């Protein structure tokens, strides 16, 4: 698989994994206890800094979700609920018994869906700025509509620091073609999974109590994507979880504070 546009992941290996007929892009790096990492809408490339940190203490398995990056997507896989079952199959194919599972934003939603289906499949679960619960009441929006924001507006709200040169928030005209294709594919997949109902599964909240492993939920203190009401609803739906606020971080904690995030994940998984 060509990796020219993913030089920031050169510290690991990018390969193709066949999951019951669906070929997915899989990044692996590091040594240690297994950790399954489920990325946000910025893809593997956006998670590179925290993946580098996590690889110092874990064997990291980080797939591109079906439809994202270089991963195929079968026509009948079009809901995050479907992704939950898909990742149970992926863990079987990789022989992952009870790894630590980390989900970032959209990937946090995917991780939650996965572990409500088979609660015993993870040793620990870390949800970082997770989505998945209803995003609005009739008159109030609790999660910003990312599809209605320009790329510049979204970049300003996603993190408190300046986006790096490899970020998906950089102007599209400045991107090499290979990277541009990945960014547009990520955008298309995010729209497919999250357009309607917007970035949520209305049934997820009633299922979160099924998650039985130790769980940590992290929110950025400067998150301008979700409101305090949304955070409170996650806490109410997942009362068994520890909840912490990360200072000097926005929605993309993995971009603003990669080393701090990896350290906290390692301490929790220990």
């Amino acid at each position: 698989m060509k990796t020219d546009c993913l030089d920031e992941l050169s510290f690991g290996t990018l390969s193709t994994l066949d999951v019951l007929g669906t070929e997915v892009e899989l990044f692996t790096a590091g040594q240690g206890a297994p950790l399954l990492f489920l990325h946000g809408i910025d893809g593997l490339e956006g998670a590179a800094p925290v993946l580098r940190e996590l690889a110092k203490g874990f064997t990291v398995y980080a797939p591109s979700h079906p439809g994202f990056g270089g991963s195929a997507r079968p026509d009948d896989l079009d809901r995050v609920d479907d992704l939950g079952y898909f990742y149970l199959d992926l863990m079987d194919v990789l022989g992952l018994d009870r790894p630590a599972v980390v989900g970032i934003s959209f990937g946090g939603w995917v991780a939650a869906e996965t572990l409500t289906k088979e609660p015993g499949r993870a040793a620990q679960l870390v949800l970082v700025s997770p989505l998945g619960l209803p995003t609005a009441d009739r008159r109030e929006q609790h999660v910003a509509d990312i599809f209605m924001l320009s790329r510049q507006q979204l970049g300003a709200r996603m993190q408190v620091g300046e986006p790096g040169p490899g970020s998906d928030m950089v102007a599209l005209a400045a991107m090499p073609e290979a990277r541009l294709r990945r960014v547009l594919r990520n955008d298309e997949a995010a729209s497919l999974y999250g357009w309607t109902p917007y970035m949520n599964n209305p049934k997820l909240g009633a299922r979160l109590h099924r998650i039985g492993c130790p769980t940590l939920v992290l929110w950025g203190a400067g998150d301008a994507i979700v409101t305090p009401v949304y955070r409170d609803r996650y806490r109410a739906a997942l009362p068994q979880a520890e909840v912490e606020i990360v200072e000097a971080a926005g929605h993309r904690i993995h971009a603003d504070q990669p080393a701090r995030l990896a350290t906290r994940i390692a301490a929790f998984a220990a």
Side-chain angles (χ1 to χ4, degrees), residues 9 26 28-29 41 49 69 82 101-102 130 164 177 185 193 196 202 204 221 255 258 261:
L9 293 173
L26 178 68
T28 55
I41 62 172
D82 300 328
V101 176
V102 176
E177 182 178 349
R185 199 157 188 266
Y193 292 120
T196 182
L204 178 62
L261 176 58

Side-chain angles (χ1 to χ4, degrees), residues 52-247:
R52 180 185 293 274
E53 296 294 329
L54 288 170
K56 296 175 182 178
F58 296 92
T59 300
V60 176
Y61 299 87
S64 284
H65 306 311
F68 284 79
S71 291
R73 183 190 64 82
D75 291 340
D76 60 353
L77 203 164
D78 57 8
R79 296 286 182 181
V80 175
D81 186 61
D82 300 328
L83 290 178
Y85 290 105
F86 178 85
Y87 277 113
L88 293 174
D89 290 336
L90 180 141
M91 284 192 276
D92 287 341
V93 171
L94 288 174
L96 296 179
D97 182 16
R98 295 182 70 244
V101 176
V102 176
I104 304 287
S105 188
F106 175 83
W109 175 13
V110 176
E113 294 277 11
T114 303
L115 293 177
T116 58
K117 300 177 190 334
E118 288 194 21
R121 290 303 299 268
Q124 300 91 14
L125 171 64
V126 180
L127 302 177
V128 183
S129 311
L131 299 176
L133 295 184
T135 57
D137 299 321
R138 286 193 301 172
R139 298 182 180 180
E140 190 172 0
Q141 189 85 14
H142 300 301
V143 176
D145 190 338
I146 63 173
F147 302 131
M148 297 300 291
L149 297 173
S150 70
R151 189 163 294 274
Q152 292 74 21
Q153 290 171 325
L154 186 58
R157 295 183 67 165
M158 275 290 190
Q159 59 195 85
V160 297
E162 288 295 321
S167 171
D168 61 338
M169 294 293 107
V170 173
L172 297 181
M175 290 184 185
E177 182 178 349
R179 174 55 65 87
L180 178 61
R181 288 180 181 275
R182 290 183 66 91
V183 167
L184 294 181
R185 199 157 188 266
N186 292 348
D187 287 354
E188 180 182 42
S191 299
L192 173 74
Y193 292 120
W195 186 266
T196 182
Y198 174 62
M199 285 297 176
N200 81 95
N201 175 358
K203 299 180 180 179
L204 178 62
R207 299 172 178 172
L208 287 177
H209 71 278
R210 290 177 48 80
I211 296 175
C213 62
T215 301
L216 173 66
V217 180
L218 299 172
W219 301 103
D223 193 328
I225 298 297
V226 306
T227 67
V229 170
Y230 186 82
R231 298 182 190 183
D232 290 343
R233 290 181 178 175
Y234 234 105
R235 181 189 289 272
L238 195 57
Q240 66 270 38
E242 297 180 35
V243 180
E244 296 179 10
I245 302 298
V246 180
E247 298 297 330

Side-chain angles (χ1 to χ4, degrees), residues 14-36:
L14 200 62
S15 61
T16 300
L17 178 71
D18 187 306
V19 181
L20 304 183
T22 299
E23 291 194 347
V24 296
E25 181 178 68
L26 178 68
F27 176 75
T28 55
Q31 292 183 330
L35 184 148
L36 177 63

